[in-house]
Amino acid sequence: MTTTPFDARVAALDADALAELMRSRHSVRAFTDRPIEGAVREALEAQMAAENERAGLSMQLCLDAPGAFDGTLAHYGSFRNVRNHLALVGPAGPGLDEAVGYAGEKVVLLARALGVDSCWVALTYDRRRSPARVGAGERYALAVALGYGEKPGSAHPVKPVERLCRVSGEAPAWFTAGVEAARLAPTALNQQRFRFELLEDGRTVRARALPALSCGRVDLGIARLHFELGANAVSRDWAFER
């Protein structure tokens, strides 16, 4: 299996550094004119291509393309000078939202490791003005604004661990680490409408989305990646329910 830029970054981090990477990613809505180029651009494109191949998606990195964030919707969302975005596109179907959440967050976390800021965007952009191509049978699920922020973002509220999981008895260290990592996952309107349940065998995890105002399945995909990263930093002797 080919090692992706994201895999290489994660492999180089210990558990504390990995948690700090997830903790340091905040939503940023105002950007400078600095372009995404050189080795940073190449790494993001390589990761995106690897995720497209792995999950059968059509994600596209749209650089120097301000049109999608240059209208009334973007101004309503307080976006300013968004010149780059990741278009999350893939086969229309019930699994698309969760798939782009998981895959897109890999690109987002890699971007954070490379010094690039981001913001997940569901509604306040104009996908018709995005240069992303949407083929027959595909859907443009949502976008991620990318760039170098005018200033750092701020931390979002998080729910207590006990509201995000279910476990009988004492939770193993890897499960607790996974839930703690999932707490740091960005979600629409900071809803955190997901739950992780440790099944009776003590090593299988059930992840589910709860009813949400929007983007519940996307949020679950993002949270699943965070859980996986946190748990794997402690132990790999576990698996998600199939």
Side-chain angles (χ1 to χ4, degrees):
M1 181 180 295
T2 302
T3 299
T4 70
F6 178 83
D7 296 331
R9 286 276 173 169
V10 169
L13 301 176
D14 61 22
D16 290 340
L18 178 60
E20 181 55 31
L21 172 63
M22 291 186 280
R23 191 177 296 112
S24 69
R25 194 229 68 91
H26 307 307
S27 294
V28 171
R29 294 170 181 262
F31 300 88
T32 70
D33 290 330
R34 180 182 173 186
I36 297 175
E37 56 188 0
V40 173
R41 174 177 180 165
E42 292 172 3
L44 294 177
E45 289 179 335
Q47 186 64 45
M48 182 185 65
E51 292 305 304
N52 282 343
E53 181 177 359
R54 177 192 62 81
L57 300 174
S58 302
M59 297 190 301
Q60 296 154 59
L61 191 60
C62 303
L63 302 179
D64 195 22
F69 286 86
D70 194 28
T72 302
L73 286 174
H75 292 303
Y76 177 77
S78 300
F79 287 101
R80 185 168 66 252
N81 201 31
V82 182
R83 305 191 63 82
N84 314 290
H85 62 278
L86 175 66
L88 299 172
V89 180
L96 177 61
D97 285 352
E98 188 172 340
V100 295
Y102 182 96
E105 183 67 357
K106 280 192 178 182
V107 179
V108 164
L109 288 176
L110 175 62
R112 176 63 263 163
L114 296 171
V116 175
D117 297 304
S118 62
C119 184
W120 287 82
V121 191
L123 298 174
T124 49
Y125 73 105
D126 189 345
R127 67 188 63 189
R128 295 169 301 178
R129 299 180 65 188
S130 168
R133 300 175 304 280
V134 182
E138 291 188 327
R139 178 166 63 89
Y140 195 144
L142 69 167
V144 179
L146 294 170
Y148 296 95
E150 289 184 354
K151 58 183 180 180
S154 56
H156 60 270
V158 294
K159 293 180 179 178
V161 167
E162 57 269 20
R163 292 186 59 187
L164 300 177
C165 67
R166 178 179 296 176
V167 58
S168 298
E170 184 175 353
W174 60 264
F175 183 82
T176 300
V179 177
E180 288 286 359
R183 290 178 80 212
L184 303 175
T187 60
L189 305 174
N190 295 323
Q191 297 172 103
Q192 295 190 289
R193 298 290 292 166
F194 55 78
R195 294 293 183 274
F196 292 93
E197 179 182 354
L198 182 62
L199 302 188
E200 291 184 0
D201 63 7
R203 64 175 304 276
T204 302
V205 177
R206 175 179 296 153
R208 61 191 181 97
L210 303 180
L213 294 175
S214 66
C215 300
R217 302 301 300 188
V218 175
D219 291 348
L220 180 62
I222 298 172
R224 279 174 63 105
L225 173 65
H226 277 239
F227 183 99
E228 181 180 296
L229 293 172
N232 282 348
V234 177
S235 172
R236 291 180 179 268
D237 187 24
W238 67 277
F240 281 121
E241 181 182 47
R242 294 185 178 277

